[in-house]
């Protein structure tokens, strides 16, 4: 061992060493498990899973109204069927002998900027509009400016529109729940107003509306509850993991092995160079 290394070891205190992974989340000793200060025995008796999710991320137990709203967002994103790439890939992985943990991580691994990430982007957009309102801009003007900026940049507004639902069936109950919690004073409803105003401003060239989708609606909930935009994606991953697990489990309970994206005898189309002879090219 080099002298420098020996010195570094001699110089480092035990305190520095245990601080290396110091955390404000959990406190574990032999016979003791505490999270955010609460003993696990009391959490098992008195906290629900949604309370735990909130407490682990935010440090405190949520109020019943906050927990109810978070639960609705988590319930809404659990599944969107095998046509969702996260679910399809988990099912494919399950037929390849990866085991449940491999299948679930394959599905979760597909949740990124494009699939599952629009909620984070919508929250960031709502946040920017809220900042503009705090600086004195009027809601309608701020929203119209934002929509125009996205259009000018050729970008879709995150959280609005859906590939095949003319109106996302998850939109109404989610927004209704936010409105109810505003009535009860649980949230102030500012992000709800922003999102509704965007929806009003978002009309296609042919005059069709582009309703809010699940990502836009859950982003309203997460923003109203004070979560950071990055956590919108994290919470989506948590919720969708339930669906991914269920689909991976169903698929692994069936006898089919190595299921590809197309059922036989269908094959992916080919649009490359036509058949040719290698030997003819090498002479
Ligand atoms: C999901 C999405 C890809 C569907 O797009 P699509 O299949 O092209 O949707 P449609 O065919 O129904 O689009 C119809 C019209 O609405 C417009 N439109 C749809 N979503 C839009 C959006 N988010 N922002 C602006 N315009 C939108 C399209 O440009 C099109 O307008 P046009 O008729 O004037 O050309 C698109 O809405 C989108 O990218 N949304 C934002 C990202 C998002 O929220 N993803 C999560 C989906 S759950």
């Amino acid at each position: 061992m080099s002298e420098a290394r020996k010195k570094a070891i001699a110089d480092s205190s035990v305190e520095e060493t245990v601080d290396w992974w110091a955390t404000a989340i959990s406190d574990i000793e032999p016979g003791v498990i505490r999270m955010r200060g609460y003993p696990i025995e009391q959490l098992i008796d008195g906290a629900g899973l949604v309370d735990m999710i909130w407490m682990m991320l935010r440090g405190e137990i949520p109020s019943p109204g906050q927990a109810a709203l978070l639960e609705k967002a988590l319930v809404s994103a659990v599944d969107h069927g095998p046509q969702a790439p996260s679910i399809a890939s988990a099912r494919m992985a399950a037929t390849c002998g990866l085991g449940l943990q491999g299948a679930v991580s394959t599905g979760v691994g597909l949740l990124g900027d494009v699939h599952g990430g629009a909620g984070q982007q919508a929250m960031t957009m709502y946040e920017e509009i809220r900042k503009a309102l705090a600086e004195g801009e009027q809601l309608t003007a701020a929203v119209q400016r934002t929509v125009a900026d996205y259009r000018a940049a050729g970008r879709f507004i995150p959280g609005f529109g859906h590939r095949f639902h003319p109106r996302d069936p998850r939109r109404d109950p989610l927004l209704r729940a936010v409105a109810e919690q505003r009535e009860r004073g649980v949230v102030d409803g500012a992000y709800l107003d922003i999102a509704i105003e965007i929806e009003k401003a978002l009309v296609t060239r042919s005059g069709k509306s582009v309703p809010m989708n699940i990502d836009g609606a859950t982003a309203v909930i997460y923003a109203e509850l004070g979560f950071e935009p990055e956590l919108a994606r994290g919470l989506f991953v948590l919720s969708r993991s339930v669906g991914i697990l269920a689909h991976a489990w169903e698929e692994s309970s069936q006898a089919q092995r190595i299921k590809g994206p197309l059922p036989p005898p269908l094959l992916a189309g080919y649009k490359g160079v036509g058949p040719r002879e290698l030997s003819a090219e090498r002479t």
Side-chain angles (χ1 to χ4, degrees), residues 210-269:
V210 183
M212 206 180 306
N213 60 40
I214 182 178
D215 291 313
T218 50
V220 170
I221 293 187
Y222 295 140
E224 292 285 351
L225 293 176
F227 284 95
E228 294 295 326
E230 289 83 353
L231 278 177
R233 185 173 311 188
L235 289 163
F236 182 84
V237 168
L238 265 188
S239 164
R240 182 53 59 87
S241 295
V242 177
I244 289 174
L245 174 62
H247 280 274
W249 175 240
E250 181 184 67
E251 193 65 56
S252 63
S253 321
Q254 293 167 6
Q256 242 176 323
R257 303 169 74 224
I258 320 181
K259 247 168 121 172
L262 293 175
L266 294 179
L267 293 170

Side-chain angles (χ1 to χ4, degrees), residues 105-179:
S105 64
T106 300
V108 167
L110 257 69
L111 298 171
D113 281 347
V114 177
H115 178 31
Q120 178 179 345
Q121 295 151 10
M123 269 180 90
T124 305
M125 178 181 64
Y126 299 159
E127 206 61 70
E128 281 165 6
I129 295 174
R130 186 156 191 181
K131 225 169 113 207
L133 301 186
E135 287 162 5
E137 198 171 0
Q138 293 302 309
L139 176 60
T140 310
V143 163
Q144 280 175 356
R145 179 181 49 73
T146 303
V147 171
D149 287 351
Y150 270 83
R151 283 222 164 105
R155 292 169 66 198
F156 280 75
I157 311 269
F160 293 79
H162 203 282
R163 196 127 272 169
F164 60 84
H165 296 304
R167 185 180 177 87
D168 191 322
R170 299 161 291 191
R171 176 207 176 278
D172 292 353
L174 290 173
L175 297 192
R176 198 167 49 239
V178 180

